[in-house]
Amino acid sequence: MARGRRFITLVASGAVLAGLAVAAPAATATAARAAATAPGAPGTPSYFDLARKDCVGTAAAQGSKVWYTVAGGVLSDVYEPTIDNTNVSTLQYVVTDGSTFSDLQTRDMTYTVTADPTGMACTVTSTDAKHGFKLITTYITDPASDTVLMHTTLQDTPGSSTSLAGLHLYARLDAHVNGNGGGGSENAGANSGVVDTSAGPPVAVISSTNTVTSAVNRDYAVPTYMALAGTSDQSASVGYAGTASDGLTQLDAAHTLTPYTSAPDGHIVATEDVTPAHGHQVTLALGFGRSQAQSVSVADGSLSHPFVLTAARYLLGWAGYDLRLRRPAGQASLDRSYYLSANVLKASEDKTYPG
């Protein structure tokens, strides 16, 4: 199935995300005119994200070696291929009307969080009260591959006069692949970014091939590539954080994206126009691999399956694990806390080096 068409439905955490086929429009003329190398290297210094997490999750299956976290209402540290190797500072949305405002989730919206009964899938509702819309995003990982999936619905708020058809949705990925950030000599090495068009729609890929570290007993690092793909990709850009090539800087200043296709050796951010053609829904896939081609293939492979089926496999995996646990005696009201605690402990074990 081509990446441009997906059927999406999820019932989880008491939330219902109803779906329909979404056709991805052709790449825009702006993307075709994308400049080659982004200016502003190496970008601002990078930092790890919040330690306080709203959610954590990974597939119960041992074959999927990726872990997601949510902090501040957006995707935060993503660990792959081991549980101590973080690759993401944040992945969040920027919403603009193209002329008067550009709002960033962590800066301009409030949020609430709910979870499914296992605690391993969570749904975040980010509300922009000023401009009358909200984003409802469910986070899981693909049990069959090293992919984090985010399914998002854009809705208006009650009484809003905002036209959803006039809004543009961008995804901004602030990376520190392999725990490296670039952006200055005080950071432990740099990342590099490119826009890959080998499989069709543009996909931003950020990588670090540095496997050398001063950390004790950590000689198992591998080259890591991270690809951001979506069901409605229209244009993509890579640039340097906090500079003129940063997609957020561009959207704040002009409410539009000026794409760059290469950003070597620095603190890299990727920005993609993922505005749905219709239906106001999009699924993002953050896929990992040991090469650029593998990371793109992994992300596209996860998007080739209906989100509802992947989510069902993910949730059934954890439900099956919970059935094997000994149910605690006492008040039934404590069951949810018990299973959540047990699942977080299980999820915190590395899948390559267990124990």
Side-chain angles (χ1 to χ4, degrees):
M1 182 183 294
R3 177 152 36 101
R5 298 184 66 83
R6 305 285 175 267
F7 287 90
I8 304 164
T9 306
L10 175 63
V11 180
S13 317
V16 179
L17 303 179
L20 47 90
V22 179
T28 63
T30 300
R33 295 194 301 269
T37 302
T44 59
S46 63
Y47 302 93
F48 292 127
D49 199 36
L50 297 172
R52 177 194 55 76
K53 304 300 184 184
D54 300 314
C55 314
V56 298
T58 186
Q62 296 299 302
S64 174
K65 297 180 180 180
V66 62
W67 294 256
Y68 82 85
T69 70
V70 172
V74 301
L75 190 70
S76 181
D77 290 282
V78 173
Y79 302 93
E80 194 276 348
T82 54
I83 199 169
D84 61 343
N85 191 55
T86 180
N87 300 281
V88 172
S89 177
T90 59
L91 171 55
Q92 58 182 310
Y93 291 111
V94 184
V95 182
T96 178
D97 65 351
S99 59
T100 65
F101 74 88
S102 294
D103 284 357
L104 179 70
Q105 276 185 275
T106 54
R107 185 187 64 195
D108 302 304
M109 306 181 199
T110 60
Y111 75 95
T112 59
V113 182
T114 59
D116 79 294
T118 73
M120 292 291 102
C122 77
T123 298
V124 175
T125 301
S126 297
T127 302
D128 191 321
K130 181 177 180 180
H131 295 110
F133 65 84
K134 58 185 176 181
L135 297 162
I136 304 172
T137 303
T138 296
Y139 299 85
I140 62 169
T141 69
D142 187 340
S145 68
D146 291 356
T147 309
V148 176
L149 290 168
M150 301 166 45
H151 174 65
T152 300
T153 302
L154 177 63
Q155 295 182 354
D156 54 12
T157 56
S160 171
S161 60
T162 298
S163 170
L164 297 183
L167 297 181
H168 303 273
L169 186 66
Y170 292 85
R172 179 182 183 268
L173 173 61
D174 186 346
H176 46 231
V177 178
N178 261 356
N180 302 326
S185 59
E186 65 271 30
N187 285 272
N191 289 175
S192 291
V194 297
V195 174
D196 187 299
T197 57
S198 62
V203 174
V205 180
I206 304 176
S207 62
S208 170
T209 58
N210 178 30
T211 61
V212 178
T213 176
S214 60
V216 177
N217 296 327
R218 196 181 188 282
D219 57 358
Y220 47 85
V222 293
T224 300
Y225 293 75
M226 176 173 65
L228 176 61
T231 52
S232 55
D233 294 335
Q234 298 177 47
S235 64
S237 180
V238 289
Y240 298 101
T243 74
S245 61
D246 186 334
L248 178 61
T249 302
Q250 298 172 9
L251 290 169
D252 278 342
H255 313 300
T256 189
L257 185 67
T258 299
Y260 297 96
T261 58
S262 175
D265 298 327
H267 177 186
I268 308 303
V269 292
T271 310
E272 297 189 13
D273 185 346
V274 295
T275 306
H278 54 77
H280 309 304
Q281 296 183 335
V282 62
T283 301
L284 302 184
L286 195 61
F288 291 83
R290 309 284 71 85
S291 68
Q292 178 175 320
Q294 184 183 26
S295 67
V296 174
S297 176
V298 166
D300 281 348
S302 292
L303 290 178
S304 69
H305 304 288
F307 184 80
V308 59
L309 296 183
T310 305
R313 287 194 298 268
Y314 179 86
L315 295 172
L316 285 172
W318 280 107
Y321 173 75
D322 288 348
L323 286 174
R324 299 194 297 270
L325 298 177
R326 181 180 299 176
R327 183 177 178 182
Q331 296 179 338
S333 60
L334 298 178
D335 283 3
R336 188 178 182 94
S337 295
Y338 167 79
Y339 288 112
L340 174 60
S341 298
N343 291 345
V344 169
L345 287 174
K346 171 67 174 175
S348 300
E349 183 178 42
D350 189 68
K351 298 177 183 182
T352 302
Y353 306 100

